Amino acid sequence: MTAGADPPSIELLRRENAKLKAELAEARWTAAGYRDLVTAAAHEIRTPLHALGLHLELLRRLSSREGGQALKNQIDLAKRILEGFVRRTCGLLDAARVTAGAFALNPESVVLSEAVSAVVELYAAKADFKQATIEVTLEPGLVGQWDRGGVEMILANLVSNALKYGDGAPVEINAQADGAGNAVIRVIDSGPGIDDDMRRHLFEKFSRAVPPDSTIAGYGLGLWITRQLASLHGGSITLDDGPTRGTTFVVTLPLRQDATLPARRSG
């Protein structure tokens, strides 16, 4: 070995270190591209599907005014199929954004009653199809510094699940301040409930609170996304302990957010 030269073991370590640095840089570049792709895909997929849904709704209204019950029935079926596809697709996109850390909060003053009304309106047709009612009881004047889309997504996931698994049972949304600077939101149904074994894994990714032979479609992402979004807001979501029948999900959200919150990312 030439005088002053590094031993072979040190040179090998340097090469391995340089290789690892290059691989890490490539991984970071890939992750950044992945986040951009997911964000673009979310926009590109949601926009045309939303437009298609509006056109189907217009056709349904026209068929109602001009008769043709068979046509109306087929349009209603097409709407339900489309809505199911939109929910599943958006669930995958939202999960990808949260996983990639691409979901940044944009807090603003959100009137809780307005957010709830938007979600109830969104699921009115599904509730009607399930022959279920959605009852709302809110403490007046609840306003939080939240990401509007994030809060509506939390509510939408819980209401959708309540309608999907509730066997037509009424769904109740209630909320009040807890005296400690938080809004406490409960979404309740009196459906079959969730057994103890399923409760333990309820908020895990790809975990579903249904028997293995269930025919109800889904990816098991909604509650995981909901927990991530609640956590991003500095809040939490729990499943109330209680009788086997029926479920009560409790979301706690601070009414005011830390000044650094918009920069937070999901983990």
Side-chain angles (χ1 to χ4, degrees):
M1 184 172 63
T2 306
D6 290 327
S9 59
I10 294 179
E11 180 60 26
L12 180 62
L13 286 173
R14 284 177 174 170
R15 290 178 182 176
E16 287 298 320
N17 185 48
K19 180 181 177 182
L20 287 173
K21 284 182 177 179
E23 290 176 349
L24 178 59
E26 182 178 359
R28 286 173 174 167
W29 180 85
T30 301
Y34 172 71
R35 287 195 297 269
D36 292 343
L37 176 61
V38 168
T39 301
H43 173 75
E44 294 299 324
I45 291 176
R46 282 183 170 128
T47 300
L49 288 177
H50 179 66
L52 180 57
L54 290 176
H55 283 294
L56 282 172
E57 176 61 21
L58 289 173
L59 286 172
R60 189 190 68 80
R61 292 180 183 180
L62 285 172
S63 67
S64 296
R65 288 200 298 266
E66 298 176 7
Q69 186 61 40
L71 175 60
K72 180 180 179 299
N73 291 343
Q74 289 301 311
I75 292 173
D76 286 341
L77 175 60
K79 279 199 69 179
R80 290 197 297 273
I81 293 172
L82 174 64
E83 288 165 358
F85 173 75
V86 169
R87 285 193 299 272
R88 291 191 293 273
T89 302
C90 291
L92 287 173
L93 289 169
D94 293 333
R97 290 173 64 205
V98 171
T99 300
F103 198 106
L105 297 186
N106 181 28
E108 59 179 304
S109 291
V110 177
V111 179
L112 184 58
S113 62
E114 294 178 358
V116 171
S117 294
V119 171
V120 171
E121 182 178 0
L122 178 66
Y123 285 97
K126 182 174 181 178
D128 184 59
F129 178 72
K130 292 281 188 177
Q131 296 184 322
T133 59
I134 302 177
E135 302 167 3
V136 177
T137 306
L138 305 178
E139 178 181 322
L142 283 177
V143 180
Q145 291 296 314
W146 301 317
D147 180 279
R148 181 179 297 274
V151 170
E152 289 185 2
M153 197 183 304
I154 288 171
L155 293 167
N157 283 337
L158 295 178
V159 171
S160 176
N161 277 358
L163 291 171
K164 182 189 295 185
Y165 301 113
D167 283 351
V171 176
E172 180 184 349
I173 306 171
N174 68 56
Q176 61 279 320
D178 65 357
N182 302 305
V184 179
I185 307 165
R186 289 179 171 82
V187 178
I188 306 163
D189 72 71
S190 53
I194 302 170
D195 66 35
D196 290 338
D197 288 338
M198 294 176 181
R199 283 172 178 246
R200 286 196 291 269
H201 305 287
L202 196 58
F203 296 103
E204 296 175 4
K205 192 187 293 186
F206 301 117
S207 176
R208 301 186 64 214
V210 295
D213 59 350
S214 172
T215 58
I216 298 177
Y219 294 115
L221 291 169
L223 289 176
W224 178 80
I225 291 172
T226 299
R227 185 180 65 175
Q228 301 303 310
L229 291 173
S231 178
L232 278 171
H233 281 86
S236 64
I237 176 172
T238 59
L239 177 65
D240 253 11
D241 292 329
T244 302
R245 187 166 184 84
T247 58
T248 299
F249 286 99
V250 183
V251 178
T252 302
L253 297 176
L255 292 168
R256 291 198 168 275
Q257 303 295 340
D258 185 272
T260 63
L261 198 56
R264 293 178 64 181
R265 297 289 192 272
S266 57

